[in-house]
Every structure is written in C-alpha cells, then in structure tokens.
Amino acid sequence: MSNTPSMAVELAGVALKNPIVVASGTFGFGREYGQFYDLSQLGGICVKGLTAAPREGNPPPRIAETPMGILNSVGLQNPGVDAFIAHDLPFLRQYDLKVIANISGNTPEEYGQMCEKLSAAGVDMIEVNISCPNVKAGGLAYGTKPELAAEVTEVAKRHATVPVMVKLSPNVTDVTEIARAVADAGADALSLINTLRGMRIDVNTRRPILKMNTGGLSGPAVLPVAVRMVWEVANAVSLPILGMGGVSTGEDAAQLMLAGASAVAVGTACFADPFTPLKVRDGLCEIAASQGLERVSQLTGGVRPW
Ligand SMILES: Cc1cc2nc3c(=O)[nH]c(=O)nc-3n(C[C@H](O)[C@H](O)[C@H](O)COP(=O)(O)O)c2cc1C
C-alpha cells in the first residue's frame, strides 16, 4: 500500500500547494494555458519578464531549434509593468496559485520602482532577473558581476515588501560567487538557471539562424548544467532555491530537489506539451510515494555524497 505524500512546500515563506512553478517567458501571463486546464493546479507562475516600459523585443527570427532544446532571443517582449498590474494580475488572481513577478531593469533604480509598484499591487513574490542574455542594457551584465548583482539585490530589497528572489545566470565561471554576493545583499531566495548563451548557423546561407546572432539555450539539453549549479549554490548559501532548466519529467524535478531546490520551474517543455507541469507534478508525487516519503519537501538537499 503506498502513501500519498504531501506536495506542499515553502519558498522563502511563501506557501506553494505543490513545488511546480512555470518558468518566466514560457507561460506568458497564463491566458493561453488557462484554456487547457485550471491554473490552480500549479504551485505558482513566474510571469513573463516585465520592464518599466513596454518592449517589442528583438526582431525575428528569434527562436531556433537545437538537439534537445531551443535557442531564443525574444528580448523581453512585454506590455510593461503598469499594463501587467492593470490587466494580467487580475486575471491570474482568479486562480489559487502564487504569482511571482519577474522583472528586468536598465538601472538599479528601475528595479526599485518596479518592486514598489508590484509589492503594492499584491504579487506574492518578485523574481529579479539579472541574467537575461538577450538585452543590451542591464540584463546579463548585472548577473555576471558580483558587485552589480549585489547592488540590484539591495535596491530591490529596499523597495519590495514581498520576498525577493534573484535569478542567476549560468553564463559565469563560478555561480557560487554571484550567489554569495546576492545572499549577502539580502535576497530571500534564488532561482536558477536562466538560459545558456548559444548560436546556430545555417550552413547554406552562412547566416546565423537568429537575427540577433546569439540566443539563450534551454530545454532538456541544459538539465545536467542546472542540477550541477543548483547543487553548487545549495552548498554555498543557505537560501531557498527555485530550480529550473530542462525539466520535463518528475524524475528531472526530483534531481533538482535532491540537489537542493525547494521548488522547481518548468519552462521550454511547456511549448511541446502544455500539460507538462501537471505531468511533472504527478511524476514527482509518484517518486516521493515510491520512496515512502511523507512530504515531497523531504527530497530537498537529499543527494547523498559518495
Ligand atoms: C522563449 C523564452 C523566454 C524567456 N523569457 C524569460 C524572461 O522573460 N525572464 C526570465 O527570467 N527568464 C526567461 N526565460 C528563461 C526561463 O525562465 C528558464 O530560466 C530557462 O528557459 C531554463 O528553463 P527550461 O529549460 O525549463 O526552459 C525564457 C526562456 C525562454 C525559452
């Protein structure tokens, strides 16, 4: 007889009914996916990256398929933080799930202003993106230099009244260096990984497939990198972690949790099958049950040393 483990987890004091969140930029603001199933089945949603002003994003082509993944150079296309608060947040509030606002700024002050507006609007958490590889100003620059990462974190914390989670880039030599800087600056949680910079070339036209030349790699190909980085960060700092990168099965999610994640985000896999987050949740529950766990949270950090 198998037990049914509790799927409830906590991320920086925010209670999630299950550890499955959908990753920023892969689920929009939930409207399209909400036509397939009740979004209340998800633990939470990290919404598409918001900026202070609306952005059209980069010119196409901006998606290229790769073996076991995709490259994207979308470049933070979004309606801006005010339109999100007016139109999209009320839509998401119809559902019983945690709303995590993902933000990108050109300056630390912009991060601060967005944190103030979003806190006042009542989002559950703010995910500070310092790791977008597809924008010129700010973006990745903040996520690859410890002093800048710390500055953005500190400004965000000063202006936010909800927990602040900082999203780390894998495009660094030592992710723990940035994680420590952000933790020391007062972050409440960390999320990782964002996409890995990559490139594809059409050998006949000899042109890069993406108009921006390079893009960010995501999907199953990046899972082992994500597991490694979550494990390294979990060993370096004591903040809760939202793990992501290439998750498409319950086993993938369990790996990230064993490596140290408290919750897991599903991204690119949603494009191939919108039901993936629910399948990941059920697969994770089965693994926890087969291991006789009372709570799925018992997986967190459970990797055994050799
Ligand atoms: C098309 C696309 C758009 C994305 N947009 C954002 C974004 O706006 N903000 C952000 O922090 N991450 C963004 N990401 C990164 C994802 O949230 C996630 O960190 C990454 O794709 C790894 O997870 P996955 O392999 O499950 O997709 C984007 C990814 C994709 C594929």
Side-chain angles (χ1 to χ4, degrees):
M1 201 183 81
S2 72
N3 61 329
T4 304
S6 160
M7 293 297 280
V9 296
E10 226 185 66
L11 189 65
V14 176
L16 307 179
K17 74 167 76 65
N18 66 58
I20 308 305
V21 174
V22 285
S24 178
T26 64
F27 215 81
F29 301 112
R31 285 184 205 274
E32 292 87 353
Y33 291 88
Q35 294 169 20
F36 291 108
Y37 50 86
D38 180 2
L39 302 182
S40 302
Q41 294 188 74
L42 300 170
I45 175 173
C46 294
V47 303
K48 173 65 193 165
L50 301 167
T51 49
R55 276 177 68 100
E56 284 191 2
N58 292 323
R62 51 190 200 175
I63 299 276
E65 289 191 31
T66 65
M68 301 298 283
I70 60 168
L71 285 170
N72 93 82
S73 58
V74 169
L76 297 176
Q77 178 181 350
N78 81 97
V81 68
D82 295 329
F84 165 75
I85 290 170
H87 304 298
D88 301 297
L89 187 55
F91 168 79
L92 284 169
R93 281 294 176 226
Q94 300 172 76
Y95 299 98
D96 174 24
L97 87 172
K98 299 299 176 190
V99 177
I100 303 172
N102 179 288
I103 59 168
S104 280
N106 291 315
T107 60
E109 291 66 37
E110 271 187 18
Y111 280 99
Q113 286 159 9
M114 284 189 275
C115 282
E116 239 165 60
K117 286 185 180 182
L118 289 161
S119 295
V123 300
D124 296 292
M125 194 184 238
I126 295 173
E127 182 178 48
V128 174
N129 181 11
I130 54 167
S131 47
C132 184
N134 298 321
V135 289
K136 286 204 183 82
L140 191 55
Y142 288 127
T144 54
K145 300 202 174 65
E147 330 66 74
L148 293 181
E151 186 187 351
V152 170
T153 305
E154 193 265 316
V155 173
K157 273 297 290 175
R158 204 161 358 108
H159 289 83
T161 57
V162 297
V164 169
M165 175 164 73
V166 178
K167 185 161 178 180
L168 304 182
S169 171
N171 300 304
V172 292
T173 310
D174 180 3
V175 69
T176 64
E177 192 187 13
I178 312 289
R180 280 198 193 91
V182 164
D184 290 347
D188 300 295
L190 299 173
S191 57
L192 66 151
I193 56 174
N194 209 317
T195 55
L196 286 139
R197 290 189 74 205
M199 183 172 184
R200 251 194 78 190
I201 296 171
D202 181 326
V203 295
N204 294 316
T205 64
R206 301 195 166 194
R207 283 214 178 93
I209 306 249
L210 298 173
K211 191 72 172 264
M212 300 301 288
N213 299 318
T214 64
L217 181 67
S218 62
V222 310
L223 176 70
V225 178
V227 174
R228 187 262 295 180
M229 288 196 161
V230 166
W231 177 72
E232 286 179 341
V233 168
N235 283 309
V237 300
S238 56
L239 293 180
I241 296 172
L242 174 64
M244 71 190 86
V247 172
S248 55
T249 66
E251 190 181 327
D252 300 341
Q255 285 196 60
L256 283 172
M257 291 187 73
L258 288 168
S262 297
V264 170
V266 180
T268 301
C270 297
F271 295 149
D273 176 0
F275 291 89
T276 307
L278 306 184
K279 293 177 181 172
V280 170
R281 176 200 61 185
D282 295 346
L284 187 61
C285 186
E286 269 170 40
I287 290 169
S290 74
Q291 297 189 2
L293 303 182
E294 280 175 24
R295 299 179 305 279
V296 72
S297 61
Q298 290 171 285
L299 287 171
T300 297
V303 63
R304 291 203 190 112
W306 277 101

